[in-house]
Amino acid sequence: MNVASNWFHSVRESLLSHRRYIPAALTLCTGTSLSLAAAAVVWHEENQRMEAEFHQQADRLNVALQQSINKNLEFLYSLEAFYRGSTEVTRQDFKEFAQSALSRNSAIHSVNWIRRVPAAQKAAYERTIRAEGFPAFQIYERDPDQQPIAVALRSEYFPITYREALKEDNKVIGFDVASNPDRKAALEKSVNTGKIAASGRIRLVSNNQPGLQVFLPVPRRTNSADNSVNSRQNLMGVIAGLFQITNMVDFSLESLNLDNINFYLYDNSAIEKERFLVRYDSQAKQLIDRPKHEKPELGNLSAKICQYPSACTRLFNVADRQWMLLVLPGKGYNSLRTYQGSLAIGAIGLLMTGSLTIYLLMSVERTAKVEQQVYDRTIQLKERTAELETALKNLQEAQLKLIQTEKMSSLGQLVAGVAHEINNPVNFISGNLIHTGEYTQSLLELVEIYQQQYPNPTPEVQAKLQEIELDFISQDLPKVLKSMNLGAERIRQIVLSLRNFSRLDEAEMKSVDIHQGIDSTLMILDGRLKPKADFPGIQVIKEYGNLPLVECWAGQLNQVFMNILTNAIDVLYDETNHCFSLVKNPPISAFSPTIRIRTEILNSNCVCVRIADNGAGMTENVKKRLFEPFFTTKPVGKGTGLGLSIGYQIVEKHRGSLRCVSAPGEGTEFWIEIPIRQQFEQSVSKVSPAVGVNWK
């Protein structure tokens, strides 16, 4: 009993003697606990942010791949439309049409025109191709060693008739695609269904790289209402595009910044052993297409990012096939750099706790000073946060301006190329046509004098006169020269419109005619305004007022007109398709797409350009977000959501305002208000408010 009492007494005395350390001990324990707790919370948030960032990169990669593939397939559809709209496509026509796409897209390895040749027409077909400059032409196939041999007897053949490739190779002309088992299945499916079909993974003969061949059938033009009857006999041929998978994926990766992301690409429509297409290694920054790497490294699938394999897969379509994208985190997601925020917070917290404890041990009086330091640090952090928010806003605005600059730079290169390559030859042709007309008139007058001097020519001369129809030539030749001169003048006007639109020679603000910029923009968009087979065309109503010259950056203002008019045309196209889909064989007058452009002076230093359409209009929710960057109501791949945002900034740069008046079912009207002289400080926002769109 005495021993216990003595022990308790000694402990009590020890605590009383060290009681001055209790605040420091409590501070140390509490600070350490809070630092570790804060570090744990931030660690958890960093895990969530890392997971969200990973899936965001996976989604962007999936969208970029789908857009790249759709862009390549769109070229085949445009070539198919070219065939449908032409009565005959020559080898030169095919070459000129295909070369522009090949020069812009390295993923297109080659594009071929494959003619369907029944066995009964084989000999006649071969004679026709030989007459086109291929004296040794014949339909052939390849043996297992890839050597050309005579084609076997079949009921029909699908030889390559026209071919355009990155590297010209006429040796494949005449190769029967149906003889190749890797391509035959897709070819047969395309021919039988009348729809686009793609092959599985194949090896390109020229460079042994993985490739993909897509077939798109082209039926003959027929008067029959039912094209499904004897569809194979009505087949004129097949458009075949050969794509290099690695180039297609490389093109998608150009606009992405994949940090520590690995992915595998598979063809789900193929059999198990042929599904692997390509793999991307983020450490080596390269694509790997060797089949021995087709099995993914699944070690990271146990992490929170990919708890389930399905969470890291994305599916998308390539023609009639389904591809699968398996995205995996790289080694960088497991590094300490990923958690440097939580580690820093933990270290800072422990450091502050230790410092505070030392200060408490040194002197209690310094507590107030420490609290003041903590308060000052908090204020600094708030100020730093405000600075970072301001910097982020400035960065976003700079990004939009950079996009605008790049677009105008690209347009400048286009106009420079057109002006250099077209304008000089057209001037040469136009100038020589004048002399050609004079020479022709002189020759015709000479012939007339000969006829007067020798009214009875020899029989040979009379026969030649009847053969060439001299009277018709005398009347028609001046008309032909006049038509050629009008064509050259039309080309010159188009080049002038492009120059007026971009205003490359007017980098500084100048006084310009607004109407000239609008007319130049309309001429560039003329092809989309004209009637087509399934579109009645768009009527443009100009109600120009008597405007003075306006001081502005003309090229940038023309870009605003282009963005607004392009959106209006897209809306009217959609509205027309909607009306035609509701009524079978609707009358042409059921819906008349119209764009009305009105210009007027609002006050002594403000002009207004009003661009209205009679489309479906828009809701209030859409109007509220209309000028937000990256906001768009168009499908994926049809719009970036930057056009109106950039236009809004351009108009603000001119100290003007851009407004929209719209309601569902009442069309849409944009008001562009610009000061006539920029040195005036008068706010254009004080002008009378816009009124609703009134269509009669």
Side-chain angles (χ1 to χ4, degrees):
M1 188 69 179
N2 292 331
V3 174
S5 177
N6 292 334
W7 177 83
F8 180 78
H9 180 74
S10 63
V11 170
R12 181 173 177 274
E13 291 295 330
S14 178
L15 290 175
L16 290 175
S17 63
H18 294 86
R19 61 183 178 182
R20 62 182 180 274
Y21 298 108
I22 293 177
L26 291 176
T27 302
L28 180 62
C29 294
T30 304
T32 302
S33 301
L34 292 177
S35 299
L36 294 178
V41 171
V42 176
W43 184 289
H44 178 69
E45 291 179 352
E46 287 177 333
N47 272 330
Q48 290 183 330
R49 177 189 56 79
M50 179 176 60
E51 181 179 355
E53 180 181 349
F54 170 81
H55 288 294
Q56 184 181 15
Q57 291 194 65
D59 291 337
R60 287 194 291 118
L61 174 61
N62 182 61
V63 171
L65 285 173
Q66 183 70 77
Q67 290 177 345
S68 175
I69 291 169
N70 290 343
K71 178 182 178 182
N72 290 305
L73 296 184
E74 283 176 1
F75 168 64
L76 299 185
Y77 283 112
S78 65
L79 187 55
E80 187 258 354
F82 178 59
Y83 266 90
R84 285 180 176 267
S86 304
T87 56
E88 179 183 2
V89 178
T90 64
R91 191 178 301 275
Q92 183 64 25
D93 295 336
F94 185 86
K95 179 177 182 180
E96 293 176 356
F97 191 91
Q99 277 184 342
S100 61
L102 291 174
S103 63
R104 294 193 304 268
N105 196 338
S106 60
I108 305 178
H109 186 267
S110 67
V111 58
N112 305 319
W113 168 243
I114 301 174
R115 184 74 176 268
R116 176 184 175 271
V117 180
Q121 301 176 10
K122 176 176 178 294
Y125 169 77
E126 290 177 340
R127 287 195 300 270
T128 301
I129 301 302
R130 292 189 192 111
E132 293 181 2
F134 299 89
F137 175 82
Q138 64 175 355
I139 302 177
Y140 72 93
E141 60 186 40
R142 292 192 178 98
D143 61 13
D145 296 330
Q146 299 299 315
Q147 298 299 320
I149 59 175
V151 71
L153 294 178
R154 285 190 283 272
S155 61
E156 61 181 0
Y157 306 92
F158 288 90
I160 296 177
T161 305
Y162 302 157
R163 174 184 173 86
E164 290 300 323
L166 295 175
K167 295 182 179 179
E168 186 174 357
D169 183 10
N170 290 329
K171 294 181 180 180
V172 299
I173 300 297
F175 173 66
D176 185 9
V177 179
S179 66
N180 186 289
D182 294 335
R183 297 167 171 83
K184 182 178 180 180
L187 175 63
E188 286 293 330
K189 183 176 181 180
S190 174
V191 171
N192 292 333
T193 62
K195 298 180 180 179
I196 191 169
S199 69
R201 172 189 168 116
I202 60 176
R203 284 285 173 182
L204 303 181
V205 178
S206 60
N207 55 13
N208 199 34
Q209 293 294 317
L212 169 75
Q213 188 142 26
V214 181
F215 299 95
L216 183 62
V218 179
R220 297 182 185 277
R221 304 180 71 176
T222 175
N223 295 326
S224 174
D226 187 6
N227 291 329
S228 62
V229 179
N230 298 326
S231 60
R232 198 177 187 96
Q233 285 73 20
N234 286 335
L235 182 69
M236 180 167 58
V238 180
I239 298 171
L242 191 61
F243 304 96
Q244 186 168 328
I245 296 177
T246 53
N247 287 351
M248 190 183 302
V249 177
D250 270 335
F251 180 79
S252 303
L253 298 180
E254 289 179 357
S255 59
L256 303 176
N257 184 17
L258 298 181
D259 295 330
N260 303 315
I261 290 291
N262 301 327
F263 66 83
Y264 295 78
L265 203 58
Y266 298 94
D267 183 0
N268 280 355
S269 301
I271 60 177
E272 182 67 29
K273 65 179 182 179
E274 297 180 359
R275 288 185 177 180
F276 174 73
L277 297 174
V278 72
R279 169 199 172 196
Y280 176 74
D281 189 342
S282 60
Q283 284 190 315
K285 299 291 184 181
Q286 65 178 1
L287 292 167
I288 303 173
D289 64 340
R290 292 187 291 274
K292 69 178 182 179
H293 296 285
E294 64 178 307
K295 298 298 183 182
E297 299 175 1
L298 301 178
N300 285 329
L301 287 181
S302 59
K304 293 188 65 176
I305 294 179
C306 291
Q307 292 183 5
Y308 308 100
S310 59
C312 293
T313 59
R314 304 291 189 274
L315 301 177
F316 58 93
N317 295 324
V318 180
D320 62 326
R321 304 181 75 88
Q322 185 185 73
W323 283 12
M324 181 182 75
L325 177 68
L326 174 60
V327 187
L328 300 177
K331 295 182 179 179
Y333 277 91
N334 297 327
S335 64
L336 291 178
R337 292 182 58 188
T338 307
Y339 304 102
Q340 59 184 359
S342 57
L343 295 176
I345 288 179
I348 292 173
L350 292 175
L351 180 61
M352 292 178 64
T353 300
S355 300
L356 184 59
T357 302
I358 293 174
Y359 281 130
L360 286 174
L361 293 174
M362 291 176 63
S363 177
V364 177
E365 288 127 12
R366 299 189 60 185
T367 302
K369 183 177 180 180
V370 172
E371 292 178 352
Q372 184 62 37
Q373 290 178 349
V374 173
Y375 176 78
D376 293 341
R377 179 64 58 87
T378 303
I379 296 298
Q380 292 176 3
L381 289 175
K382 290 182 179 179
E383 293 176 352
R384 182 59 177 168
T385 302
E387 292 176 359
L388 291 176
E389 291 177 351
T390 303
L392 177 60
K393 181 179 179 181
N394 294 336
L395 180 61
Q396 291 174 342
E397 294 178 355
Q399 181 183 16
L400 291 177
K401 293 179 181 179
L402 179 61
I403 293 173
Q404 172 196 346
T405 303
E406 289 295 328
K407 290 178 66 176
M408 295 307 296
S409 176
S410 300
L411 181 60
Q413 294 176 3
L414 170 65
V415 173
V418 170
H420 180 72
E421 299 295 337
I422 296 179
N423 205 31
N424 290 338
V426 167
N427 289 336
F428 175 76
I429 294 172
S430 178
N432 284 327
L433 282 175
I434 298 175
H435 301 296
T436 304
E438 295 176 355
Y439 299 157
T440 302
Q441 186 63 33
S442 299
L443 291 175
L444 292 176
E445 292 176 356
L446 179 60
V447 171
E448 184 178 357
I449 294 173
Y450 266 98
Q451 287 180 330
Q452 294 175 358
Q453 295 296 325
Y454 300 97
N456 297 317
T458 62
E460 292 81 0
V461 174
Q462 291 181 353
K464 189 64 178 178
L465 290 175
Q466 294 178 357
E467 178 184 352
I468 67 175
E469 299 182 3
L470 180 61
D471 293 339
F472 175 76
I473 292 176
S474 301
Q475 297 176 3
D476 192 57
L477 187 55
K479 297 178 181 178
V480 171
L481 293 175
K482 182 178 180 180
S483 177
M484 293 169 65
N485 196 20
L486 290 175
E489 181 62 24
R490 174 64 175 170
I491 296 174
R492 185 162 44 235
Q493 290 298 326
I494 292 175
V495 173
L496 180 60
S497 296
L498 287 173
R499 290 179 59 86
N500 288 337
F501 175 79
S502 64
R503 298 280 185 170
L504 291 178
D505 54 348
E506 297 182 8
E508 298 180 356
M509 181 177 288
K510 294 184 178 180
S511 297
V512 298
D513 184 358
I514 293 293
H515 295 156
Q516 188 181 55
I518 298 174
D519 292 338
S520 299
T521 307
L522 289 173
M523 177 169 287
I524 295 173
L525 296 173
D526 186 61
R528 298 193 62 190
L529 299 172
K530 292 181 177 179
K532 300 180 178 61
D534 56 348
F535 183 68
I538 299 175
Q539 181 185 9
V540 178
I541 301 175
K542 301 179 183 179
E543 299 178 353
Y544 289 169
N546 187 15
L547 301 185
L549 297 181
V550 177
E551 187 177 7
C552 64
W553 287 281
Q556 296 181 15
L557 203 57
N558 289 342
Q559 185 181 359
V560 178
F561 299 149
M562 174 67 76
N563 291 338
I564 294 177
L565 288 171
T566 301
N567 286 342
I569 293 172
D570 291 340
V571 168
L572 293 177
Y573 264 84
D574 293 340
E575 183 71 13
T576 303
N577 293 334
H578 177 69
C579 293
F580 275 62
S581 64
L582 294 178
V583 182
K584 185 176 181 181
N585 298 324
I588 299 298
S589 60
F591 174 69
S592 179
T594 305
I595 295 177
R596 187 187 304 273
I597 304 175
R598 179 181 303 171
T599 62
E600 57 186 340
I601 300 177
L602 295 182
N603 57 38
S604 60
N605 190 44
C606 182
V607 298
C608 178
V609 179
R610 297 162 59 181
I611 301 176
D613 64 72
N614 62 339
M618 63 183 73
T619 63
E620 285 296 325
N621 291 333
V622 174
K623 285 175 58 179
K624 290 178 181 178
R625 304 186 59 192
L626 194 60
F627 301 110
E628 291 183 10
F630 308 110
F631 172 76
T632 178
T633 59
K634 298 179 182 178
V636 176
K638 297 295 184 180
T640 62
L642 290 173
L644 290 178
S645 176
I646 293 175
Y648 189 86
Q649 287 197 349
I650 291 175
V651 175
E652 278 196 335
K653 181 180 177 181
H654 285 80
R655 297 183 180 179
S657 66
L658 175 59
R659 293 179 287 148
C660 175
V661 179
S662 180
E666 297 183 6
T668 301
E669 183 175 37
F670 284 90
W671 284 54
I672 307 168
E673 301 170 1
I674 301 294
I676 299 175
R677 294 290 178 267
Q678 291 294 322
Q679 61 267 27
F680 282 85
E681 297 296 334
Q682 177 182 354
S683 174
V684 295
S685 61
K686 297 180 180 179
V687 298
S688 58
V691 296
V693 182
N694 184 18
W695 291 95
K696 297 183 178 179

